Amino acid sequence: MDYVAHLTLNAGTFIILAVSLHLINGACGQFSLGHAGFWAVGAYAGAAFSVYAPLPVPDFVNLFISCGIGFVAAAIAGIIIGVPCLRLRGDYLAIATLGFGEIIRILIINMDSIGGPRGFTNIPNWSNLFWVYLWVVITIVVVTNILKSSTGRAIISIREDEIAAESMGINTFVYKTMAFVIGAGFAGVAGSLFGHAQQFLHPNNFTFMWSVIILLMIILGGLGSTTGAIVGAVVLTALPEVLRFFGDTVSEWRMVIYSLILILLMLLRPEGIFGKKEFSLSWFRARKLTPSGDK
C-alpha cells in the first residue's frame, strides 16, 4: 500500500509539472527544455525555508509558505531566463533553456548550505497525498482559467502564428514571458511538494533527462491539451512500474519496452492521445441524445 501511495504521490507531482509545462510548450508554443531547472529551484528554495527558517505554526501552514517560496523563486528564475531568451525561437530557445537547467544543477552542486553534491537532508515530511492533489487541482484550475481568458487567447494565438499575432497588436514578448513565469512558478510548487515528500534532494534528481521526460508527457497526451498533459503524466509515471510486474525478463527490458511503446504511439497517433481536445462531460450527453438506431 505504501508503494501504491508513493507512486500516486509521484503521479500528482508530475501532473503539476506537465500542466505547467503545457502552458509554456503546448499553449504558447515555446520549446522549453529547462523545466527540471525550475523544478529544482522550487524544491531547494522550499526545502531551505523548511530546514533553516520554519515558523512556529502548524506544519500545513509551513508547507503552504514553502510552496509559495518555491513558486516565487522559480518564477524569478523564469524571468531571469525568459527576458533574454524568449526573443529566440525554436531550437535556439530549446538550447538556451537546456543550458539554464544545467547551470542551475551545477550551482546547486557547488552550494554547501543546501547539501552540494551530497544532497540536502533533514527536510521535514510535511507533504502527503491530500496536499499534493490539492495543488494539482489549484494548478489545473489556474491554468485552465488562464487559457479560457483573453490572456489565454493571446497566448494561444502566439502558438498558432506569432507574426500574425504581432500584426494584430498583441505584445508577444509580454505574453510569452507571462506564460513562462507562471509555468515556471508551478514547477517550483511541484519541487517544494516533492522535497517534503522525499525528505531528501540530490542534484541528480533534476538532470536534463527529467526535462525530456516531462516534455514527453505533454507530447504523449497531446500538445495543446490540459487533459492530455494530465493523462500523459499518469501514463508515463505508471508505465515503467507496471512493466516491473511481468517477470524478471520483462523487468530487465522494461526501459526498452517503455521506449518502444512511446515510439509506436508517436507513429500511430503523432498528435498525442487527445491532440488539442479537452475532456468534456458533453461527450457523454451527446451520446445519450443520439438515437440508438443511428450509426
Side-chain angles (χ1 to χ4, degrees):
M1 186 64 184
D2 289 341
Y3 171 76
V4 174
H6 178 74
L7 189 62
T8 306
L9 192 146
N10 282 346
T13 302
F14 282 114
I15 288 171
I16 297 173
L17 288 166
V19 172
S20 60
L21 184 61
H22 155 66
L23 182 63
I24 300 170
N25 284 39
C28 196
Q30 305 306 301
F31 191 17
S32 171
L33 279 176
H35 218 54
F38 301 125
W39 185 21
V41 170
Y44 276 90
F49 162 77
S50 302
V51 171
Y52 295 120
L55 299 179
V57 293
D59 290 348
F60 75 90
V61 176
N62 271 321
L63 177 63
F64 264 80
I65 295 171
S66 174
C67 289
I69 290 171
F71 184 97
V72 172
I76 291 171
I79 294 171
I80 292 170
I81 188 64
V83 169
C85 292
L86 284 176
R87 299 187 187 278
L88 303 173
R89 297 182 185 180
D91 297 342
Y92 299 104
L93 177 61
I95 292 168
T97 52
L98 187 159
F100 162 77
E102 287 303 298
I103 288 169
I104 290 296
R105 197 170 67 85
I106 298 302
L107 287 173
I108 289 170
I109 289 173
N110 287 280
M111 295 177 68
D112 289 334
S113 60
I114 52 175
R118 301 182 305 278
F120 199 4
T121 58
N122 298 321
I123 303 170
N125 184 16
W126 292 342
S127 190
N128 56 38
L129 286 172
F130 175 79
W131 297 117
V132 168
Y133 278 89
L134 176 62
W135 276 104
V136 166
V137 172
I138 292 170
T139 304
I140 293 169
V141 168
V142 170
V143 170
T144 300
N145 280 284
I146 287 172
L147 294 179
K148 287 182 177 180
S149 68
S150 58
T151 299
R153 288 193 290 273
I155 289 171
I156 293 169
S157 72
I158 294 170
R159 178 193 70 194
E160 298 300 328
D161 193 324
E162 188 169 342
I163 295 173
E166 285 180 344
S167 69
M168 294 299 292
I170 294 172
N171 190 329
T172 57
F173 177 73
V174 169
Y175 284 105
K176 285 195 292 185
T177 303
M178 186 183 301
F180 208 78
V181 169
I182 295 172
F186 278 110
V189 171
S192 181
L193 293 168
F194 177 77
H196 290 93
Q198 303 293 329
Q199 296 181 268
F200 174 75
L201 295 172
H202 193 277
N204 288 343
N205 295 137
F206 309 102
T207 59
F208 158 68
M209 283 308 301
W210 281 111
S211 291
V212 174
I213 290 169
I214 299 165
L215 179 63
L216 280 174
M217 290 174 180
I218 64 171
I219 292 173
L220 175 65
L223 278 173
S225 170
T226 305
T227 308
I230 297 166
V231 171
V234 173
V235 169
L236 292 194
T237 303
L239 185 58
E241 303 304 319
V242 170
L243 292 174
R244 289 181 189 271
F245 297 100
F246 287 91
D248 293 338
T249 303
V250 174
S251 183
E252 290 174 3
W253 289 87
R254 68 188 182 89
M255 293 312 294
V256 175
I257 297 169
Y258 171 70
S259 302
L260 288 173
I261 291 171
L262 289 178
I263 291 169
L264 286 172
L265 282 169
M266 290 299 98
L267 288 173
L268 298 174
R269 192 171 176 81
E271 70 274 23
I273 296 170
F274 279 86
K276 294 181 181 178
K277 296 179 181 179
E278 300 289 356
F279 172 79
S280 174
L281 292 175
S282 62
W283 294 356
F284 299 102
R285 287 197 293 268
R287 286 184 179 182
K288 289 180 180 179
L289 290 173
T290 302
S292 58
D294 293 350
K295 295 184 179 177

